[in-house]
Amino acid sequence: MAALPDFPWDKMLPYRERAAKHPEGVVDLSIGTPVDPTPRFVREALAAASDAPGY
């Protein structure tokens, strides 16, 4: 079985820096277990997209 390649975290840095400038800040889902509730707007966006017919 082939191993998955390493994830290029360094390529994500510019996007994280841009997101950090937003008033609500960054939602870091990359490590650990979330300790805060998922914001309502995120749950609503996920629910709205859940019936999409493709990727």
Side-chain angles (χ1 to χ4, degrees):
M1 180 184 300
L4 293 174
D6 290 337
F7 189 84
W9 296 109
D10 54 333
K11 291 183 180 181
M12 298 298 291
L13 186 58
Y15 303 107
R16 180 180 175 82
E17 290 171 349
R18 182 176 179 184
K21 294 177 183 176
H22 287 269
E24 298 297 322
V26 175
V27 176
D28 187 352
L29 302 176
S30 66
I31 59 171
T33 302
V35 295
D36 297 319
T38 303
R40 178 180 299 275
F41 78 93
V42 173
R43 294 192 318 264
E44 290 172 354
L46 290 169
S50 67
D51 195 25
Y55 291 102

